């Protein structure tokens, strides 16, 4: 921009912060600024200051009651609800089903579905389910496992992680020793491919745990970060 | 560690910022007697939402969704889009409630910020055709806030109103309309008949004057 040369660096940042808060910038520039807010505390403070100034205009927004159905949809998306019968297996449909089932234990946050018959497109309900209760916070994860091809899918529901960490899933063997099953890969819809030797060990009664690890997984082969959730696989 | 916002060491710039916003909060509570929920109650609800309290979430929604829906309607100009945006916004509120304690600012402005940012991201990504601009101004002229609400909020905005009053009227109108309606530089250029190449310089000059005025009053 022609005027940038006449602005001092502080002014430049302040103008940018104000422009961001006003919302006048194009999409790509907004995205860059959002990144900067996450990494540059001084800049984030400028944004917060403008936010506080301009919030004086908030009363200009008239209050309009939204239709009641909107909140139903929000709740269904966040917490799930009894899903309508469906012919094909859908993880998200099942999520609603299982969360409905576990309505009494809302704090529970990680479910693992087992389909030992591998008939992922025929069966409506998994035969085995592990419910992993979070020990901290309300991290939300749902996992499905198809023994036929050894694929486990873990999908974060409400995991708001703004720092680069990995979630690592552990199988706790009978001797209490954790063995890594893999990392929760959010980019790949939570797919974890279970190795053949490990598949033999996944059966009713074994426990799972999820720990927070440095990005890329535990450097030691054992959990190094806090255990976020753990639970035992059981028959329904 | 003390967890009240106001007890941080005064040398911490964040603490100073937070302290000044808590003064704003007090003014706003005093000014908004007509509002169903006062600021502290909204803040309390958000803190409970951060702990996963679904009842608090429902109550927060009941009391704050009309305002946030108003934000979506004003910026998106489409009821269906606004309803979808509102869903997304409250999902973010649920997910980000934990970060509320760290955010400088009041509970209501925290919520409006989430709503505005999402609505603006949507329209910027949508790349609205330019012929819509005329419609947007027409609707904007109709949706003048009711005078009683505006009066109730007046104290809270007194300082910025005073500083806005010192700007040339076209500049202050551009600033306010950009904020409230989520107008882009392209739309502002058309609306104020200023070439796109100079609109940014023109608005920035206004913003920096505004900053200078706000700082001298701080």
């Amino acid at each position: 921009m022609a005027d940038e040369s006449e602005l001092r660096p502080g002014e430049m940042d302040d103008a940018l912060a104000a422009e961001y808060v006003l919302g006048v910038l194009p999409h790509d520039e907004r995205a860059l600024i959002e990144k900067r807010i996450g990494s540059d505390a001084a800049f984030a403070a400028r944004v917060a200051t403008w936010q506080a100034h301009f919030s004086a205009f908030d009363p200009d927004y008239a209050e309009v009651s939204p239709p009641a159905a909107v909140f139903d949809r929000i709740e269904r998306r966040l917490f799930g609800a009894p899903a309508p019968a469906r012919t094909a297996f859908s993880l998200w449909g099942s999520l609603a089903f299982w969360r409905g089932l576990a309505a009494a234990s809302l704090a529970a946050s990680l479910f693992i579905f087992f389909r030992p018959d591998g008939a992922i497109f025929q069966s409506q309900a998994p035969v085995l389910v592990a419910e992993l209760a979070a020990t901290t916070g309300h991290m939300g994860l749902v996992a499905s496992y198809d023994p036929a091809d050894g694929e486990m899918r873990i999908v974060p529901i409400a995991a708001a992680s703004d720092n680069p960490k990995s979630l690592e899933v552990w199988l706790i063997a009978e001797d209490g020793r954790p063995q890594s099953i893999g990392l929760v890969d959010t980019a790949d819809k939570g797919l974890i491919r279970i190795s053949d030797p490990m598949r033999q060990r996944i059966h009713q009664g074994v426990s799972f745990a999820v720990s927070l690890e440095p990005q890329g997984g535990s450097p030691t082969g054992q959990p190094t970060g806090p255990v976020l959730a753990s639970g035992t696989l059981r028959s329904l | 560690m003390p967890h009240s916002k106001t007890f941080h060491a005064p040398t911490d710039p964040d603490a100073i910022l937070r302290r000044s916003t808590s003064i704003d909060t007090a003014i706003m509570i005093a000014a908004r007697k007509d509002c169903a929920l006062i600021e502290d109650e909204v803040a309390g609800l958000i803190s409970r939402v951060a702990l996963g309290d679904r009842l608090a979430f429902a109550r927060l929604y009941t009391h704050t969704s009309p305002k946030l829906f108003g934000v979506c309607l004003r910026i998106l100009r489409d009821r269906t889009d606004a309803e979808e945006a509102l869903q997304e916004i409250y999902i973010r509120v649920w997910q980000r409630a934990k970060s509320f304690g760290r955010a400088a600012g009041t509970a209501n402005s925290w919520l409006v910020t989430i709503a505005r940012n999402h609505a603006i991201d949507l329209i910027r990504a949508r790349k609205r055709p330019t012929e819509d601009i005329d419609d947007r101004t027409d609707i904007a002229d109709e949706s003048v806030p009711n005078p009683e609400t505006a009066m109730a909020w007046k104290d809270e905005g007194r300082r910025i109103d005073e500083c806005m009053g010192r700007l040339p009227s076209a500049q202050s109108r551009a600033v306010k309309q950009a904020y409230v309606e989520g107008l882009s530089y392209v739309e502002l250029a058309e609306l104020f008949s200023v070439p796109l190449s100079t609109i940014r310089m023109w608005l920035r000059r206004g913003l920096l004057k505004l900053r200078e005025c706000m700082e001298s009053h701080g």
Side-chain angles (χ1 to χ4, degrees), chain A residues 145-169:
Chain A
Y145 172 63
D146 178 4
D149 57 16
E151 285 186 352
M152 178 181 276
R153 284 174 195 276
I154 296 195
V155 183
I157 304 159
S161 70
D162 34 20
N163 50 351
K165 297 259 185 195
S166 291
L167 293 176
E168 193 155 6
V169 184

Side-chain angles (χ1 to χ4, degrees), chain B residues 27-215:
Chain B
I27 294 167
M28 187 150 80
I29 291 165
R32 297 192 60 209
K33 293 194 183 85
D34 61 319
C35 189
L37 270 190
I38 59 166
E39 181 68 28
D40 276 359
E41 267 183 87
V42 176
L45 287 174
I46 295 171
S47 309
R48 281 168 57 196
V49 169
L51 299 171
D53 183 336
R54 285 176 60 176
L55 287 177
F57 183 64
R59 188 162 154 75
L60 180 71
Y61 180 87
T62 304
H63 290 281
T64 58
S65 61
K67 189 74 179 178
L68 302 198
F69 193 46
V71 170
C72 295
L73 285 170
R74 191 80 181 266
I75 292 174
L76 294 169
R77 312 281 164 144
D78 179 285
R79 231 185 142 81
T80 311
D81 286 357
E83 286 176 21
E84 272 173 33
L86 192 66
Q87 280 183 54
E88 199 55 48
I89 287 159
Y90 275 93
I91 283 163
R92 289 180 188 193
V93 167
W94 174 266
Q95 292 169 342
R96 295 182 190 173
K98 279 185 178 168
S99 71
F100 168 65
R102 297 196 301 273
T106 66
N108 282 314
S109 74
W110 184 78
L111 292 169
V112 171
T113 300
I114 291 177
R116 283 188 71 254
N117 280 341
H118 182 61
I120 290 168
D121 283 343
L122 286 179
I123 46 165
R124 291 291 168 274
R126 189 205 276 168
K127 296 209 197 317
R128 174 179 288 278
T130 45
E131 61 262 26
D132 279 7
I133 290 176
D134 289 342
D135 298 342
R136 292 167 66 87
T137 22
D138 289 348
I139 303 167
D141 292 343
E142 285 165 21
S143 52
V144 173
N146 99 38
E148 274 179 40
T149 321
M151 280 303 288
W153 284 76
K154 206 166 180 243
D155 280 354
E156 143 80 354
R158 202 168 42 194
R159 194 169 52 175
I160 191 155
D161 282 349
E162 200 181 314
C163 290
M164 289 280 282
R166 293 184 189 186
L167 294 181
S169 67
Q171 252 173 359
S172 66
R173 200 154 66 91
V175 168
K176 189 157 184 175
Q177 232 174 318
Y179 181 88
V180 175
E181 294 170 37
L183 300 185
S184 67
Y185 267 134
V186 176
E187 290 165 318
L188 282 173
E190 296 219 1
L191 194 59
F192 289 86
S193 307
V194 181
L196 182 59
S197 56
T198 55
I199 185 78
R200 190 170 192 177
M201 197 194 299
W202 177 77
L203 192 76
R204 279 185 159 185
R205 229 180 280 131
L207 289 168
L208 291 173
K209 257 183 269 172
L210 194 58
R211 176 185 82 147
E212 205 179 308
C213 175
M214 295 297 285
E215 281 176 354

Side-chain angles (χ1 to χ4, degrees), chain A residues 11-34:
Chain A
E11 289 183 329
M12 179 69 195
D13 278 357
D14 241 346
L16 259 184
E19 288 174 322
Y20 170 76
V21 173
L22 283 184
V24 288
L25 299 175
H27 197 250
D28 48 348
E29 220 169 316
R30 281 182 67 77
L32 285 175
I33 289 184
E34 269 154 32

Side-chain angles (χ1 to χ4, degrees), chain A residues 83-222:
Chain A
R86 37 182 85 221
T87 47
F89 172 74
S90 146
L91 175 60
W92 290 104
S94 292
L95 166 61
F97 171 73
W98 289 113
R99 298 202 84 163
L101 191 75
S105 56
L106 293 166
S109 59
L110 174 58
F111 304 127
I112 293 184
F113 302 163
F114 266 74
R115 294 169 174 274
D117 61 354
I120 206 153
F121 292 106
Q122 293 162 18
S123 172
Q124 275 284 324
V127 177
L128 295 171
V129 58
E131 184 179 288
L132 282 75
T135 53
T136 60
H138 62 272
M139 180 194 67
L141 289 175
V142 70
S144 69
Y145 172 63
D146 178 4
D149 57 16
E151 285 186 352
M152 178 181 276
R153 284 174 195 276
I154 296 195
V155 183
I157 304 159
S161 70
D162 34 20
N163 50 351
K165 297 259 185 195
S166 291
L167 293 176
E168 193 155 6
V169 184
W170 306 87
L171 172 76
I172 316 292
E174 284 80 350
D175 62 4
R177 222 159 33 85
Q179 280 184 280
S180 179
I181 290 178
L183 297 178
V184 178
D185 182 1
T186 47
D188 196 8
K189 291 180 180 160
L191 177 68
I192 296 178
R193 196 168 293 278
I194 310 293
S195 65
D196 279 340
M198 194 62 86
R199 279 195 227 181
Q200 311 300 320
R201 311 183 57 150
I202 298 182
H203 50 77
Q204 189 177 335
V206 300
S207 294
F208 291 94
V210 178
S211 69
L212 192 64
E213 298 295 338
Q215 196 167 27
S218 165
T220 66
Q222 290 291 300

